[in-house]
Amino acid sequence: MEYSYISDLRSGKSSGTVKVRGWVQDIRRLKNVDFIILRDHTGTAQVTVKKSSGSLGVDPGAINRESVIEVEGENVQNSISKTGTEILANRINVINTSMAPLPLPVTDPVEADIETRLNNRFLDLRKPHIHHIFEAESELMWGIRKFLHGEKFVEVHTPKVVAAATEGGADLFGVKYFEMEAYLNQSPQLYKEILISSGFNRVFEVGPAFRAEKHNTVRHLNEFTSVDIEMAFSDHNDAMSMLERAVKSGIGSMKSAMDDRVELISKIETPSLPFPRITYRKCIDVLHDSNEDLEFGLDFTPEQLKIIGDGFEGFYFITEWPSTVRPFYTMINQQDESITNSFDLQYKDKEITSGAQRVHDPVLLEKRFRNKGLNPKDFEFYLNAFRFGMPPHAGWGLGLERLTMILLDLKNIRETSLFPRDRTRLVP
Ligand code: AMO
């Protein structure tokens, strides 16, 4: 007999005698009957063990919570049972016993603090509402992937152990690479651009990015998942259009797959396009009007982004960032050299994505390196790709954990990373 998932019992897909397996979430013992709440990744079912049934093979009272068992029995629809599904057990087999007590309860209504939860992440992830975050993230990513495939992007995989910094030298993790000095990559930026010179018209990558940022905040991880694209013969406006459509596709996928699992997701509105845009200069005016002054050429603080974000319902772009705050690869605006053809996608006060048209002229690129105090010689492998025919190009990098966090209205980015890496956490 094949095994059923618990959701199949509820939907009526499996009926009669069934076999299910999962974790013992709870056991309630009454005089003549024991109830086991059995959980698999699709839900919970009540397993009813009549004391008179005798020859089940095990004593339910001796099974520790969170042990893995399999149950064979009759599936009956039961509107009285909390789970809506009842299995009258004929046979129970304990596959693997859990130790007791549990270091973290799986069903406790009072949530433990985040550090205790992360220390015991394997148990924390068994909680359905925590598990659903990652199913939602997967659906979100699937919607973005599907969209990019439809737009003829090629998925690529670039090295994570590299010789040069892309997003500023200070935030690099150094690693020993045999007799050479190496770093963990901060972004696939240089490689995705090289691939444009290699004749890939459109590329995307979903992979880890490492930032040795020392600050411990609810928005930063030291290893995060970067969703990157790069497109040839394109500018920042093309990249923004691709981004808003990718985000919409991701949200659509998440909503249609998760509606019944996460109540909150049904409340997320599918955004209408195009997303509103505001220039950096206009943001300074907004800040000025609310008595917060910012000098042109500096980055916004979280408090300033909150004031700017208050003017928008949801997603919006901040465009035309000053060249002082954008990396060397960002294209200078042809009319005004103090600004760049760049953008950030914001949701309220949170930055989700950075992107830009890139410099494609190798002479200008060398100048940009020098202006930023960098030595072009350290980037020869990158510069070479610009010297033998590089098309104009543009792209963006999106933080997957941040997007999931804002969509699910979670307060800490660690909630959206399975095994977060932060300033003090390297285990599990
Ligand atoms: P940037 O450095 O702005 O741009 O990063 C892009 C996006 O990645 C996410 N992100 C982070 N998420 C969690 N923790 C962090 N420490 C962290 N740092 C960044 C954010 C951010 O918007 N090469 C460019 C992209 C490009 O122009 O294509 C880059 O990496 O959501």
Side-chain angles (χ1 to χ4, degrees):
M1 192 196 307
E2 282 196 12
Y3 290 93
S4 304
Y5 291 133
I6 286 170
S7 59
D8 295 337
L9 310 188
R10 197 170 307 135
S11 68
K13 196 170 147 198
S14 302
S15 55
T17 305
V18 294
K19 242 172 38 171
V20 287
R21 50 197 166 174
W23 286 263
V24 173
Q25 182 163 297
D26 202 4
I27 302 170
R28 269 176 249 134
R29 312 210 71 193
L30 302 181
K31 197 157 160 245
N32 298 320
V33 69
D34 293 322
F35 297 117
I36 297 174
I37 304 300
L38 183 71
R39 184 188 69 244
D40 72 7
H41 68 288
T42 67
T44 51
Q46 174 182 295
V47 177
T48 303
V49 185
K50 293 211 171 97
K51 296 247 160 92
S52 55
S53 58
S55 60
L56 275 181
V58 287
D59 169 16
I63 306 174
N64 288 337
R65 281 185 193 185
E66 295 303 317
S67 296
V68 175
I69 65 168
E70 72 179 14
V71 176
E72 194 180 308
E74 301 308 313
N75 174 30
V76 288
Q77 299 298 321
N78 181 344
S79 55
I80 300 168
S81 124
K82 259 199 198 157
T83 62
T85 306
E86 182 181 8
I87 303 163
L88 299 175
N90 297 328
R91 190 179 62 81
I92 293 178
N93 176 27
V94 179
I95 297 172
N96 217 340
T97 303
S98 167
M99 282 167 57
L102 295 166
L104 180 80
V106 173
T107 51
D108 211 344
V110 187
E111 196 89 276
D113 67 273
I114 184 108
E115 293 302 318
T116 310
R117 287 176 46 212
L118 292 176
N119 286 339
N120 298 285
R121 192 60 156 162
F122 71 100
L123 281 171
D124 188 49
L125 290 166
R126 286 188 197 174
K127 300 172 194 160
H129 69 286
I130 305 291
H131 183 92
H132 287 153
I133 295 171
F134 297 94
E135 288 185 342
E137 194 168 72
S138 166
E139 296 297 343
L140 172 66
M141 196 53 243
W142 173 236
I144 295 173
R145 242 195 191 100
K146 237 178 354 193
F147 169 77
L148 293 174
H149 267 277
E151 291 290 330
K152 302 282 179 271
F153 280 80
V154 176
E155 182 163 9
V156 296
H157 307 281
T158 63
K160 302 303 157 212
V161 183
V162 297
T166 58
E167 310 299 320
D171 298 335
L172 277 169
F173 284 114
V175 287
K176 195 104 206 85
Y177 192 75
F178 304 110
E179 62 283 357
M180 290 169 272
E181 280 303 317
Y183 307 98
L184 295 179
N185 210 5
Q186 296 170 303
S187 148
Q189 184 65 38
L190 306 187
Y191 290 93
K192 61 181 183 170
E193 289 195 67
I194 292 174
L195 291 174
I196 295 299
S197 161
S198 310
F200 285 80
N201 188 48
R202 292 175 167 187
V203 292
F204 82 99
E205 177 163 9
V206 184
F210 303 89
R211 305 277 169 101
E213 289 155 346
K214 289 215 173 69
H215 43 268
N216 229 351
T217 80
V218 291
R219 300 184 314 280
H220 290 91
L221 294 167
N222 293 107
E223 176 178 350
F224 68 95
T225 307
S226 191
V227 182
D228 275 86
I229 75 153
E230 204 61 31
M231 45 205 282
F233 301 104
S234 304
D235 66 12
H236 48 302
N237 290 313
D238 302 319
M240 277 190 273
S241 157
M242 207 55 88
L243 175 57
E244 57 195 8
R245 288 185 292 140
V247 168
K248 186 174 177 174
S249 170
I251 293 173
S253 155
M254 188 168 91
K255 273 174 75 71
S256 63
M258 297 296 298
D259 255 1
D260 59 333
R261 276 173 279 179
V262 184
E263 198 195 327
L264 187 112
I265 289 178
S266 58
K267 298 199 187 104
I268 298 170
E269 296 217 356
T270 307
S272 47
L273 305 187
F275 293 160
R277 297 175 188 197
I278 178 171
T279 63
Y280 173 94
R281 269 186 215 278
K282 186 90 191 43
C283 291
I284 290 191
D285 294 342
V286 171
L287 293 178
H288 185 70
D289 290 346
S290 60
N291 295 325
E292 259 290 319
D293 264 334
L294 179 77
E295 216 177 288
F296 179 87
L298 297 178
D299 210 345
F300 300 114
T301 62
E303 294 70 33
Q304 290 165 342
L305 284 175
K306 195 161 173 359
I307 296 170
I308 298 163
D310 280 346
F312 298 92
E313 280 290 308
F315 291 104
Y316 63 98
F317 285 112
I318 301 179
T319 61
E320 299 183 4
W321 288 76
S323 51
T324 45
V325 294
R326 298 307 267 212
F328 58 82
Y329 50 77
T330 316
M331 187 62 146
I332 302 292
N333 187 285
Q334 302 233 292
Q335 277 81 47
D336 179 351
E337 288 215 346
S338 69
I339 59 172
T340 54
N341 291 346
S342 60
F343 57 88
D344 274 5
L345 177 65
Q346 298 280 138
Y347 186 93
K348 308 237 165 85
D349 59 336
K350 294 200 180 55
E351 175 200 321
I352 310 298
T353 314
S354 284
Q357 183 186 2
R358 324 297 189 184
V359 176
H360 56 273
D361 169 6
V363 178
L364 177 58
L365 194 52
E366 283 203 41
K367 199 170 133 202
R368 290 278 285 156
F369 275 123
R370 289 205 184 86
N371 286 347
K372 295 272 173 195
L374 297 164
N375 185 352
K377 289 249 166 326
D378 294 338
F379 294 86
E380 273 299 293
F381 74 97
Y382 169 69
L383 269 166
N384 256 337
F386 288 70
R387 292 179 178 134
F388 302 93
M390 171 62 100
H393 57 287
W396 42 257
L398 174 152
L400 180 62
E401 292 87 356
R402 278 211 197 153
L403 182 58
T404 310
M405 174 185 172
I406 63 109
L407 290 174
L408 301 187
D409 199 22
L410 298 165
K411 303 292 174 246
N412 190 331
I413 195 166
R414 288 162 186 76
E415 297 280 3
T416 64
S417 170
L418 285 168
F419 301 103
R421 292 289 172 262
D422 64 25
R423 181 68 185 82
T424 50
R425 182 172 291 281
L426 196 53
V427 175

